[in-house]
Amino acid sequence: MKQSRRQFIGQCSTMVSASAISGMIGRMPTQDQPLVNWAGNYRYSTQRITSPTSLAQVQEFVRKHERFKVLGTRHCFNGIADSADEFLSLRDLNHVVELDRASRTVTVESGMSYGQLCPYLDQQGFALHNLASLPHISIAGACATATHGSGPTNGNLSTAVSALEVVSASGEVLTFARRADLAAFQAAVVHLGAIGVVTKVTLDLQPAFTMRQDVYLDLPMTQVRDHFDEIVSAGYSVSLFTDWQKGRINEVWVKRRIEKDATLTATKDFYGAHPATTNVHPIVELSAENCTEQMGVPGPWYDRLPHFRMGFTPSSGKELQSEYFVPRRNAVDAILAVERLRDHVSPHLMITELRTIDADELWMSPCSRRPSVAIHFTWKQDWESVSKVLPMIERELAPFEVRPHWGKLFTIPSAQLQQRYEKCVEFKRFVAQYDPHGKFRNEFLSANLY
Ligand SMILES: Cc1cc2nc3c(=O)[nH]c(=O)nc-3n(C[C@H](O)[C@H](O)[C@H](O)COP(=O)(O)OP(=O)(O)OC[C@H]3O[C@@H](n4cnc5c(N)ncnc54)[C@H](O)[C@@H]3O)c2cc1C
């Protein structure tokens, strides 16, 4: 990851608790309280935040400032959202603009989070096709970095976008719509914060659906080797959690849609894994209180697709995250390559999650043109150690043209990173059209793309 290490608070002994951090989101920091990301590992370079309440105010801000970044819900682990100058926060622009039943789309102001939107959509009889592990993230911030859930036929969350309203560097209001100019749309959706201020997002919908979630414990790694495709296709969305110990996947979370009148049951034996007898957290030692309901209890899509519930402090907070995408055809080889590194990985790891994501056509999406498997690492908050393990993982996964999650920690050199995106040069040309003087450029973008 290309950014100054000084910004990593890492093992800071004065770390505030996870609940304090999530409580801080959306609040202005005080002078003696630095502005940090959700995990508290990244200290932003400025505390100056302006929160407009109208499109006109956004335009005015954009015209007035030479350089700034839009800050979402601060869930990235690196400096992608950082600014040395100013932040614009759209947290007060968080309403549904239009639900179009006929075209099955919803348009929202971009400060809205999935947690705010989903219950409304469900009440109206609609659903999104997928969600990330937690609902607290902003829709605009998630789509900017190609945030994803799981499911071999589910594209990442950005693939639900059908249009964006963007204020460009000149203050002009632009629309990028799938139906209008497909190439510009495909360039704009996963924009990494580089093209302007996204003020509205239009998302594709489908009819609301009910789901159940069943968890199986102790899946032998040999079964992953021999039956990977069957295992990840056992539900609409399947996640495999492992600590890379004892040659096994610790937990398999199978999220299935319950079609009307169908009765589903959990199998007693899932490729050698056995059903959990109570709700579990991905890290089995932690309380499952914050996790979405399991044990096959039917519930609405938005309360089963994420692992963590809205209204609770998700995960443990004091952590770091990295995630690597490789083509699905290389899934087993890539997983076994990481398993071979277990003695280096495990001492610093809280848990790994394996997920699948369908290919898309979005230029800067890590799943661009590749059905993918994502190998995720939730690390203990010790950047010094983690920063030594990441290059080892990246080296092992290099033969598979690995791409990192844009919002998580990585150390892949910029030249390699750029080579792995067919459209990278065109993307930079596209950015230059809307931001010719680098108003939205920051250290992260400069280091990784320029
Ligand atoms: C506990 C936890 C769980 C996570 N789970 C998942 C997961 O399941 N799957 C996954 O893929 N990722 C996951 N992530 C990563 C996360 O979803 C992404 O990093 C996402 O980008 C965070 O959105 P944000 O609004 O918090 O972004 P921020 O960090 O605030 O910003 C991200 C980028 O988006 C830009 N941006 C935000 N809003 C706008 C806007 N309106 N206009 C223009 N640019 C904008 C910012 O400038 C920045 O470049 C998780 C993160 C955490 C902390």
Side-chain angles (χ1 to χ4, degrees), residues 70 72-76 133-134 138 141 145 147-148 198 355 405:
V70 185
T73 36
R74 306 183 207 166
H75 278 66
C76 288
S133 65
L134 83 175
S138 80
T145 63
T147 292
H148 63 95
V198 174
R355 288 180 280 187
H405 192 303

Side-chain angles (χ1 to χ4, degrees), residues 103-159:
S103 69
R104 280 199 191 160
T105 57
V106 68
T107 300
V108 299
E109 291 177 328
S110 66
M112 197 169 210
S113 71
Y114 286 99
Q116 291 169 314
L117 175 63
C118 293
Y120 164 81
L121 286 180
D122 191 59
Q123 275 164 18
Q124 300 297 320
F126 290 104
L128 296 171
H129 79 292
N130 212 349
L131 290 169
S133 65
L134 83 175
H136 306 67
I137 44 179
S138 80
I139 295 167
C143 294
T145 63
T147 292
H148 63 95
S150 191
T153 58
N154 295 323
N156 60 38
L157 306 192
S158 315
T159 62

Side-chain angles (χ1 to χ4, degrees), residues 25 36 40 56 67 74 83 97 109 112 146 176 202 204 229 258 264 316 350 357 374-375 402 418 422-423 437:
I25 289 170
V36 295
R67 262 177 194 265
R74 306 183 207 166
S83 170
V97 178
E109 291 177 328
M112 197 169 210
F176 296 98
T202 303
D204 290 337
D229 287 336
I258 307 177
L264 295 176
S316 82
M350 290 166 87
I357 309 103
I375 306 178
V402 61
Q418 294 182 50
E422 237 171 89
K423 296 279 195 180
H437 306 298

Side-chain angles (χ1 to χ4, degrees), residues 38-39 44 69-78 80-82 90 110-111 131-134 137-149 191-194 196-199 307-308 314-315 319 321 323 325 353 355 376 405-408 442:
W38 175 87
Y44 296 110
K69 291 302 289 181
V70 185
L71 196 54
T73 36
R74 306 183 207 166
H75 278 66
C76 288
F77 289 82
N78 57 32
I80 190 168
D82 199 10
L90 302 189
S110 66
L131 290 169
S133 65
L134 83 175
I137 44 179
S138 80
I139 295 167
C143 294
T145 63
T147 292
H148 63 95
H191 54 79
L192 314 178
V197 183
V198 174
T199 42
H307 306 326
F308 299 102
S315 198
E319 64 192 45
Q321 294 189 10
E323 191 164 33
F325 300 76
E353 181 176 9
R355 288 180 280 187
H376 165 93
H405 192 303
W406 288 112
K408 302 185 183 179
N442 61 3

Side-chain angles (χ1 to χ4, degrees), residues 49-93:
I49 305 181
T50 302
S51 303
T53 53
S54 68
L55 178 62
Q57 285 178 14
V58 172
Q59 289 179 278
E60 194 190 332
F61 182 93
V62 172
R63 289 196 181 109
K64 256 197 198 155
H65 290 85
E66 246 173 62
R67 262 177 194 265
F68 71 93
K69 291 302 289 181
V70 185
L71 196 54
T73 36
R74 306 183 207 166
H75 278 66
C76 288
F77 289 82
N78 57 32
I80 190 168
D82 199 10
S83 170
D85 306 280
E86 298 275 340
F87 284 121
L88 188 72
S89 163
L90 302 189
R91 64 191 169 197
D92 296 329
L93 291 169

Side-chain angles (χ1 to χ4, degrees), residues 5-62:
R5 282 208 191 169
R6 78 186 148 74
Q7 283 152 322
F8 278 90
I9 298 169
Q11 292 163 297
C12 177
S13 56
T14 55
M15 183 68 60
V16 280
S17 71
S19 54
I21 292 166
S22 52
M24 254 162 52
I25 289 170
R27 255 192 273 140
M28 294 285 274
T30 57
Q31 249 183 348
D32 48 1
Q33 191 185 38
L35 181 61
V36 295
N37 65 346
W38 175 87
N41 70 297
Y42 192 92
R43 182 181 298 160
Y44 296 110
S45 309
T46 177
Q47 304 196 14
R48 282 191 293 276
I49 305 181
T50 302
S51 303
T53 53
S54 68
L55 178 62
Q57 285 178 14
V58 172
Q59 289 179 278
E60 194 190 332
F61 182 93
V62 172

